[in-house]
Amino acid sequence: QVQLVESGGGLVQAGGSLRLSCAASGRTFSSNGMGWFRQAPGKEREFVAAISRSASTVYADSVEGRFTISRDNAKNTVYLQMNSLKPEDTAVYYCAAREGSMRRTRPDDYDYWGQGTQVTVSS
């Protein structure tokens, strides 16, 4: 199994940056596809970014060019670097892991989830 612990959320002014971290424990982390999702109040959880075992990435159109997902298998950690933040980026951000090694963009494709970390962007 995989356990995920997120950190790095907070309050930031529009145009600023935050870096989210997701520390994973488990014996198969390096083989897992990883993803970031977010959920704003009253809205469904939506895809943000995903990264495969081989570090290929895919992004939602809304964050393309602003966010970067990366992984450090030696540290069992996945990151989400968020730049040029907008108020509409405000949400709880969740790290997710799947048993498979490929990128996936649907929440149902993931098997393990972090507790979520709040990101608030003020205008």
Side-chain angles (χ1 to χ4, degrees):
Q1 76 282 14
V2 177
Q3 297 82 42
L4 307 173
V5 179
E6 301 171 346
S7 62
L11 175 64
V12 65
Q13 190 174 4
S17 298
L18 285 173
R19 189 193 194 199
L20 306 183
S21 298
C22 176
S25 61
R27 289 179 289 275
T28 61
F29 173 79
S30 63
S31 297
N32 294 115
M34 304 291 295
W36 286 96
F37 295 78
R38 66 187 183 187
Q39 188 168 20
K43 298 183 178 180
E44 294 185 352
R45 190 167 299 185
E46 67 173 350
F47 169 76
V48 176
I51 186 167
S52 72
R53 179 185 64 184
S54 60
S56 62
T57 59
V58 62
Y59 297 91
D61 290 342
S62 59
V63 306
E64 181 74 44
R66 299 188 297 120
F67 291 10
T68 302
I69 186 172
S70 61
R71 67 191 299 161
D72 187 337
N73 290 338
K75 298 183 182 296
N76 291 341
T77 302
V78 63
Y79 304 96
L80 185 68
Q81 178 67 47
M82 305 185 295
N83 298 326
S84 301
L85 283 162
K86 306 174 181 179
E88 51 263 45
D89 295 319
T90 296
V92 177
Y93 283 71
Y94 297 91
C95 176
R98 60 188 305 270
E99 293 287 356
S101 61
M102 299 181 68
R103 306 169 304 178
R104 291 291 186 269
T105 61
R106 299 181 300 176
D108 288 347
D109 288 328
Y110 288 80
D111 303 292
Y112 309 100
W113 293 85
Q115 80 283 2
T117 185
Q118 177 71 47
V119 172
T120 302
V121 184
S122 62
S123 59

